Amino acid sequence: MPTYAVPPIDPMSIRLEGTDRLVPEGPVLTRRLSDLEGLFAREDLRAAGAAGEDPIVYTVSSSPVPELPRELPQSITTIRPGTIGGEFHMTKGHQHPDPQGEIYLGLRGVGGLLMFDGQDTRWIDMSEGVIGYIPPGWAHRSVNVGDEDYSFLAVYPGSAGHDYQWVLDHGMGRRVMSSAGGHELVAYTAPTTSQG
Ligand code: PAN
Ligand code: ZN
């Protein structure tokens, strides 16, 4: 066995409970509209919703594997269906400050994986059984484009980290809007506080 500054954790079995939770479970995050300031095009509608019922937009259930170098933490994200001003419910989105790849495995519902490297935008349709691969250097956001919960498993290097400011500063290249055909990707617009 090599020696480590921080010893790795012991081998363990982790079970999917339904499609929303990992057991044993580590930290669980709940993201409500009030946590998503400055991300939707219609910031005014987001703020109004946050000041009202402040609904849950998504949850993240992590396994106990820690975010430490060389470990491979996992989490399940479940995004509830819905739109804000026609823009589908989505995660905040982030860059990995330590450029590292990541894989997502679709578990339930229909969604998409939006990636942006500061110049180009890519979209992968996600559903049960689809693996979406995020290469190093691509900011990533998940979007629920269906009318039921969309959930997926993420596996990522423990040293990757999460830079949310990058997305606030650079956007994600496109916005994912509801359309007659289901969903469409439109040009990114900065958040507005009033219509027009
Ligand atoms: C995922 C995301 C998760 C929530 O586990 O962290 O889907 O999205 P935000 O972190 O953008 O709110 C992942 O990409 N981890 O690296
Ligand atoms: Zn990530």
Side-chain angles (χ1 to χ4, degrees):
M1 278 281 275
T3 53
Y4 300 96
V6 179
I9 65 168
D10 284 338
M12 67 185 301
S13 149
I14 299 155
R15 196 164 48 81
L16 274 175
E17 188 170 282
T19 51
D20 289 353
R21 288 183 62 212
L22 292 170
V23 178
E25 194 167 49
V28 179
L29 284 175
T30 300
R31 297 289 187 216
R32 295 176 179 272
L33 266 187
S34 54
D35 298 309
L36 304 179
E37 185 175 356
L39 296 171
F40 289 93
R42 290 294 305 273
E43 170 61 19
D44 55 334
L45 296 179
R46 184 215 60 87
E53 289 189 357
D54 196 17
I56 293 173
V57 178
Y58 63 99
T59 58
V60 185
S61 163
S62 302
S63 84
V65 176
E67 292 188 342
L68 291 173
R70 287 179 291 273
E71 302 284 6
L72 279 176
Q74 319 92 39
S75 62
I76 290 183
T77 303
T78 301
I79 310 177
R80 300 198 176 173
T83 54
I84 304 296
E87 187 171 9
F88 281 111
H89 277 185
M90 60 190 185
T91 59
K92 293 170 81 165
H94 60 268
Q95 269 284 20
H96 294 161
D98 177 5
Q100 300 268 8
E102 178 164 10
I103 58 167
Y104 284 1
L105 169 66
L107 299 175
R108 175 162 61 128
V110 285
L113 173 47
L114 182 69
M115 290 177 270
F116 183 51
D117 70 353
Q119 200 161 7
D120 294 332
T121 306
R122 302 289 169 82
W123 172 261
I124 295 176
D125 286 312
M126 294 290 295
S127 57
E128 183 183 345
V130 175
I131 293 176
Y133 178 59
I134 303 158
W138 290 78
H140 40 288
R141 163 178 286 164
S142 295
V143 185
N144 184 346
V145 299
D147 53 15
E148 60 174 329
D149 286 357
Y150 162 55
S151 66
F152 63 92
L153 174 75
V155 184
Y156 55 99
S159 65
H162 296 83
D163 180 356
Y164 294 100
Q165 190 61 43
W166 192 95
V167 169
L168 289 169
D169 292 342
H170 299 89
M172 285 295 301
R174 298 281 188 279
R175 293 190 177 280
V176 187
M177 309 298 295
S178 175
S179 71
H183 66 273
E184 62 178 347
L185 271 62
V186 304
Y188 179 80
T189 50
T192 55
T193 50
S194 60
Q195 182 73 322

